[in-house]
Amino acid sequence: MEDVEKQADCSSLRGPSIETGAYENLNRHSALQPPNALLLPTNMEKPDAGWTGWLAVFGAFMALFCSFGQMNAFGTYQSWYLGHQLAGYSQFSISWIGSLQLWTFFFMGGPIGRLFDAYGPSPVILSGTLLLTFSTLMTSISTKYYQFLLFQGFFFGLSVASLFYPSLAAVSTHFDKYRASALGIAAAGSGVGGVVYPIMLRTLFSRTGYAWSVRASTLLSVACCVVALATVKKEGRKKCSGWIDVKMFKDACFMLLATGSFFICLGIFTPFFYIVCYAEDQALVSQHTAFYVLSVMNAGGVFGRIVPAILSDKIGRFNLLIPTSFLAGLSCLIFWMLAKTMIAVMGFAAVYGFLSGAFISVITPCVAQISDINEIGTRIGALYTLISVPSLVGGPVAGALIQYQGGSYTGMIGLSGSSIIFGSLFILACRLRINRDICVRV
């Protein structure tokens, strides 16, 4: 099985394709690829970057550690709010804070991706650093429900978007052959942050109080942002394009990938929101122990972001994304549904964290694989903007199902697992459109 590289026609004015690892007999699926383009051996590809590229990976790791990693810790906040600041509110109401974080994060992907393409990563990351500092400090003094929605929901979600997208998009510009591996290592920062922040916050909540615990997390986050600001750089020219690239909506492969991601994101974050409450209510785990379940889930996500990403460079990114997404949904329907003890819940958390982490790390190189190098930021951002709606409603719908069923988690788990499996089928259709030969590395 021989790998081949797509190269644009000499008469085309477009930049080079970001995917230099396309494959033999590949269908001309991308709107960015001329139908008469040549196929050349992979030894013609641009070599991966040296220290500059790996410094960008390190900076992206730190950016995702303090942004997306901290957002993964919302389950700890939700469990705490139920008994303290927002004790009079239901899980359904409190879950809107986390869902608003996700919606803002995803919805702003398109605009921030365009800013990245036009101005590079540094101005966007600087804005994200200032927003993160402001939002977390204001969260530490919030007492009303609308204040948590505004500062922890909207502004913090905006800061995460400003740190997440330019960091990963910048890493993509430095690598070709090992792009998924580099992005997987960078994305592992969110998993590590998802381990550290819940343990740190829960420990500090009981020792120093809520306000100073959140301020301590702010100090750690700002230090990480400074490192990212100094190390994350983009390779390639800046490009000032329109805010909406209509051509991407004519690309069938991109739209199938976006549709699959839409349904996957309807359910993939639900366990991160409710696993702590589930452990307390269904597995009879104490409040002082239950928050460790979320850390175990995020620890599984660390390996899930690195190992599958490295493996995907060998067997193909789409080839790996499809089965891991399907198995993530299946683990909810079988493993989580039957988990009634501490050991079983911990086991599900580790397995699901690994499988969901694979989606988070591999989806970005899959987008880059079918995109022009000068439009990576715009296309990655556009994908995340499209999936902002399910990310907004997924958590509250899950909370509403728990309320409707009188505290039972069965309906919520069923919706989460089935939506992930349904989404994986669209990604399978995207992969088959690229190449119907299941033995080809795609």
Side-chain angles (χ1 to χ4, degrees), residues 318-334:
F318 283 90
N319 292 348
L320 186 133
L321 181 63
I322 296 162
T324 52
S325 299
F326 180 86
L327 291 174
L330 193 64
S331 69
C332 291
L333 297 179
I334 297 177

Side-chain angles (χ1 to χ4, degrees), residues 31-311:
L32 299 173
Q33 185 67 20
N36 60 339
L38 301 176
L39 292 172
L40 299 177
T42 51
N43 58 9
M44 298 294 290
E45 67 184 13
K46 177 181 71 64
D48 286 339
W51 282 107
T52 303
W54 288 110
L55 278 174
V57 171
F58 175 69
F61 180 97
M62 300 301 289
L64 268 66
F65 172 88
C66 66
S67 57
F68 201 82
Q70 192 170 178
M71 191 163 66
N72 280 343
F74 181 75
T76 301
Y77 282 103
Q78 178 159 322
S79 177
W80 178 265
Y81 291 157
L82 280 169
H84 297 84
Q85 279 85 350
L86 301 176
Y89 291 85
S90 65
Q91 289 194 52
F92 171 77
S93 298
I94 296 175
S95 67
W96 277 105
I97 302 172
S99 293
L100 184 57
Q101 283 182 354
L102 283 172
W103 178 82
T104 305
F105 163 67
F106 284 129
F107 183 78
M108 292 305 298
I112 289 177
R114 192 269 182 187
L115 290 173
F116 167 84
D117 287 336
Y119 304 108
S122 295
V124 187
I125 293 177
L126 177 59
S127 300
T129 302
L130 297 176
L131 279 169
L132 187 147
T133 305
F134 170 75
S135 62
T136 50
L137 287 178
M138 294 303 295
T139 299
S140 71
I141 61 174
S142 296
T143 57
K144 305 295 184 181
Y145 178 67
Y146 77 89
Q147 294 172 339
F148 288 105
L149 280 175
L150 179 62
F151 298 118
Q152 190 173 18
F154 177 75
F155 281 112
F156 181 74
L158 183 58
S159 73
V160 173
S162 301
L163 293 166
F164 180 93
Y165 297 113
S167 298
L168 291 187
V171 170
S172 295
T173 65
H174 289 280
F175 296 89
D176 285 326
K177 183 177 181 181
Y178 298 109
R179 183 182 305 114
S181 301
L183 287 170
I185 294 172
S190 61
V192 175
V195 174
V196 172
Y197 278 99
I199 296 175
M200 179 186 73
L201 288 169
R202 190 73 188 198
T203 301
L204 290 176
F205 282 165
S206 58
R207 291 185 180 181
T208 63
Y210 171 82
W212 282 106
S213 300
V214 178
R215 291 165 194 158
S217 73
T218 304
L219 182 62
L220 174 62
S221 300
V222 170
C224 295
C225 289
V226 170
V227 174
L229 191 59
T231 56
V232 176
K233 306 297 179 185
K234 174 186 178 182
E235 182 174 293
R237 63 185 177 85
K238 298 175 182 178
K239 177 182 178 181
C240 187
S241 59
W243 285 97
I244 299 177
D245 182 8
V246 179
K247 290 185 292 297
M248 77 175 70
F249 298 106
K250 299 178 181 179
D251 186 339
C253 271
F254 176 78
M255 293 309 299
L256 284 170
L257 183 62
T259 303
S261 300
F262 181 97
F263 286 105
I264 288 174
C265 288
L266 183 62
I268 197 170
F269 295 107
T270 299
F272 289 92
F273 283 4
Y274 290 98
I275 193 65
V276 175
C277 297
Y278 178 89
E280 294 174 357
D281 296 341
Q282 302 295 311
L284 303 179
V285 179
S286 68
Q287 289 185 352
H288 298 290
T289 306
F291 74 94
Y292 282 109
V293 179
L294 182 59
S295 292
V296 169
M297 183 175 286
N298 284 310
V302 174
F303 296 99
R305 286 160 171 80
I306 297 176
V307 177
I310 295 174
L311 187 61

